[in-house]
Amino acid sequence: MAGSVLAIDQGTTSSRAIVFGGDFQPLSAGQQEFQQHFPKSGWVEHVPADIWTSTLRVCREALEEAPDGGADVVAIGITNQRETTLIWDRSTGEPVYNAIVWQDRRTSDFCAALRADGLEEAFSASTGLLLDPYFSGTKIAWILDNVDGVRARAERGELVFGTVDTWLIWQLTGGRVHATDATNAARTLIYNIHDNAWDAALCAHLNIPLSLLPEVKDSADEFGETDPELFGRAIPITGVAGDQQAATVGQACFKPGMVKSTYGTGCFALMNTGKTPVRSRNRMLTTIAYRLNGETTYALEGSIFIAGAAVQWLRDGLGLIENAGDTQSLAERADPNQEVYLVPAFVGLGAPYWDADARGALFGLTRNTGPKEIARAVLQSVGYQTSDLIEAMHADWPDAGRPVLRVDGGMTASDWTMQFLADILGAPVDRPTVAETTALGAAWLAGFKAGIWPGPEAFSAEWKLEKRFEPHLQESDRSRLLTGWQDAVRRTRSTQD
């Protein structure tokens, strides 16, 4: 099909941009890491200017390297780290504070106080979420209450809030558009996913002025045009989705029951549940998968805070490896008689535990435990955590059965890790030919809205399998390993059940 699409994939540790051609294949790309800031224990921040300048740089790189300098790029799609929270001046665009990252745990006590006041059911019924520091709402409240003068400015209507997609749309359009999409709005803790509207009552509980909030659009929609000075011409922005929802689209999980799991800094599994939201009984999240033509598709989601970040810890924290690729070779040579478990609760435990005060731990160490065994434990922790999510989803919606898991993200390049994942799940794991499924999902949304790419059914037909990993582990061994993992998690929890 005529025309290509520029996909912006703004992540937790780097910004990326990829130009996709009409055959859905990458034509060019740019990527740049940026600095993480940890001002206190459990706090994680980004400098807003770093998010924007790195994004602008990689977009220009991708366009320059594309055929004809990206002349046939007709639309831009944006996907982004979710829940990360920014507030800036409506007139000047100047942020009032650093971006508070989704991993940040500074509002743990505030969330506990809201739960103690009996408010979790109200938040959960409206948003599908739990009262946890992970989400944007309590981050917004923290900035309003802890940065001098900000609350007064917000109440005068001088400030605006946005997740990273909104910040990028604002910058790309020269401050003309203050908008988000339904998938990102659904992660704020103040958006009613049933009515598709900001929830005034929840905003009142958090003391958040409604004037701060962006317009909410479909995932494939008109989000304005870029300032012509940025890329030499104005390019329409026609697709936006949070990174995990974009990956769901990129994996063509359009049918109810289909499941994808993305392995980046964290790990996020989403199961498409169709037009009806499924209320979890096992502390999964009920969320929006995507919204097209005004029609909402829902999902069950399980969120793991630490996946690839544990490999970074091996490299940067312990100095056991020089690059991420070294982990597999170490794991392959680990002593098979040692069962070492890493519970990577470096910033608390996500689903299904939601224990903000838990901290990471290693179990099963002996005098013979070394780098190989620790590396294997790091990779296995991803499989164990995914198993927790899939089991909880299956309990919430048993009619979905045991579907094949479609995977994407950097860690899926490791055959060893994917084979262990299939073994511990007891189910097939499918890795697609296009590894950049998050960016592809954003590109498809933009291309679909721009009228140059086909609809969901035709796009699904283009999904191609690169490799399927079938489970080979004996059920008795699988059960033994999972029992050991569950015991390790129990001993890591901040409170013992």
Side-chain angles (χ1 to χ4, degrees):
M1 294 190 179
S4 55
V5 177
L6 173 65
I8 295 170
D9 184 356
Q10 203 301 302
T12 308
T13 58
S14 70
S15 298
R16 308 176 67 218
I18 302 174
V19 174
F20 288 91
D23 59 354
F24 316 123
Q25 298 299 311
L27 300 176
S28 62
Q31 180 167 351
Q32 181 182 333
E33 292 189 1
F34 58 91
Q35 189 173 359
Q36 314 291 297
H37 298 271
F38 309 98
K40 294 183 181 180
S41 176
W43 291 27
V44 189
E45 296 179 359
H46 293 156
V47 174
D50 290 348
I51 295 173
W52 165 235
T53 57
S54 62
T55 299
L56 180 60
R57 184 174 295 114
V58 298
C59 286
R60 287 172 170 168
E61 288 176 5
L63 289 170
E64 288 170 4
E65 294 176 9
D68 297 323
D72 72 339
V73 169
V74 299
I76 292 175
I78 298 173
T79 184
N80 55 284
Q81 52 168 313
R82 305 172 304 172
E83 298 94 17
T84 295
T85 299
L86 303 95
I87 296 178
W88 62 95
D89 188 283
R90 187 184 297 274
S91 298
T92 67
E94 186 68 25
V96 302
Y97 189 76
N98 277 348
I100 302 180
V101 179
W102 58 272
Q103 297 166 314
D104 190 281
R105 314 304 287 170
R106 75 185 66 188
T107 62
S108 294
D109 290 344
F110 184 28
C111 291
L114 292 168
R115 283 194 296 272
D117 288 342
L119 290 173
E120 183 156 65
E121 174 57 26
F123 279 91
S124 183
S126 175
T127 70
L129 309 178
L130 301 171
L131 280 172
D132 189 86
Y134 177 26
F135 306 108
S136 307
T138 57
K139 295 177 170 65
I140 299 171
W142 188 93
I143 294 174
L144 295 176
D145 292 333
N146 289 276
V147 182
D148 287 346
V150 166
R151 176 165 292 284
R153 293 171 65 191
E155 291 175 350
R156 290 195 299 266
E158 297 173 5
L159 305 179
V160 293
F161 149 76
T163 43
V164 168
D165 60 307
T166 303
W167 172 243
L168 293 180
I169 292 166
W170 179 280
Q171 295 291 344
L172 287 165
T173 62
R176 294 188 300 274
V177 179
H178 180 219
T180 187
D181 91 298
T183 69
N184 279 292
R187 312 299 296 188
T188 59
L189 201 63
I190 51 175
Y191 187 74
N192 188 310
I193 63 172
H194 311 284
D195 298 339
N196 274 290
W198 296 113
D199 191 314
L202 298 184
C203 287
H205 285 312
L206 299 179
N207 202 13
I208 295 173
L210 293 173
S211 61
L212 277 176
L213 306 178
E215 179 185 1
V216 182
K217 294 175 172 283
D218 283 357
S219 304
D221 212 328
E222 303 288 348
F223 291 88
E225 293 185 337
T226 62
D227 189 321
E229 294 183 1
L230 296 177
F231 308 123
R233 60 188 174 95
I235 305 175
I237 304 167
T238 54
V240 174
D243 52 9
Q244 304 314 315
Q245 284 89 346
T248 302
V249 170
Q251 287 278 34
C253 291
F254 293 116
K255 295 180 180 179
M258 296 184 73
V259 186
K260 75 88 203 175
S261 189
T262 299
Y263 299 93
T265 300
C267 163
F268 304 86
L270 267 75
M271 174 186 285
N272 184 323
T273 63
K275 306 307 176 187
T276 304
V278 173
R279 184 77 181 269
S280 176
R281 301 179 301 276
N282 296 281
R283 298 180 69 77
M284 294 289 101
L285 305 177
T286 304
T287 194
I288 293 176
Y290 47 85
R291 198 172 81 194
L292 301 176
N293 299 319
E295 188 172 70
T296 303
T297 296
Y298 294 92
L300 280 171
E301 176 177 333
S303 306
I304 297 167
F305 300 147
I306 299 293
V311 177
Q312 292 178 321
W313 170 69
L314 283 182
R315 182 191 66 189
D316 303 333
L318 299 185
L320 296 183
I321 57 173
E322 292 186 2
N323 59 72
D326 297 338
T327 314
Q328 174 169 316
S329 62
L330 284 173
E332 290 172 337
R333 293 180 284 120
D335 181 356
N337 296 315
Q338 292 192 54
E339 291 183 1
V340 178
Y341 291 91
L342 169 71
V343 183
F346 301 139
V347 290
L349 284 169
Y353 308 104
W354 297 107
D355 187 342
D357 295 320
R359 288 297 177 263
L362 271 167
F363 296 95
L365 301 179
T366 71
R367 284 285 300 272
N368 291 327
T369 301
K372 296 188 291 294
E373 289 72 33
I374 294 174
R376 182 183 62 187
V378 164
L379 298 184
Q380 288 179 325
S381 72
V382 174
Y384 291 130
Q385 292 179 101
T386 305
S387 175
D388 287 342
L389 301 184
I390 299 301
E391 289 300 318
M393 287 180 180
H394 178 69
D396 281 335
W397 203 31
D399 291 347
R402 299 273 180 178
V404 173
L405 181 67
R406 290 186 172 182
V407 297
D408 56 86
M411 294 190 78
T412 65
S414 167
D415 283 6
W416 190 96
T417 306
M418 293 301 99
Q419 184 58 56
F420 180 78
L421 178 60
D423 286 338
I424 209 65
L425 293 179
V429 170
D430 282 359
R431 185 171 64 195
T433 55
V434 177
E436 306 294 348
T437 54
T438 302
L440 177 59
W444 178 79
L445 289 167
F448 172 61
K449 180 61 180 179
I452 63 166
W453 283 10
E457 186 173 341
F459 179 66
S460 297
E462 296 295 324
W463 187 93
K464 292 181 175 61
L465 176 69
E466 186 268 327
K467 186 172 183 178
R468 169 167 286 188
F469 298 86
E470 295 280 3
H472 300 306
L473 195 65
Q474 293 289 331
E475 182 58 33
S476 58
D477 292 330
R478 175 174 174 266
S479 178
R480 186 191 75 254
L481 290 173
L482 285 172
T483 298
W485 164 255
Q486 290 153 6
D487 181 60
V489 170
R490 180 186 59 78
R491 291 191 280 167
T492 305
R493 298 288 303 277
S494 63
T495 57
Q496 300 300 310
D497 295 332

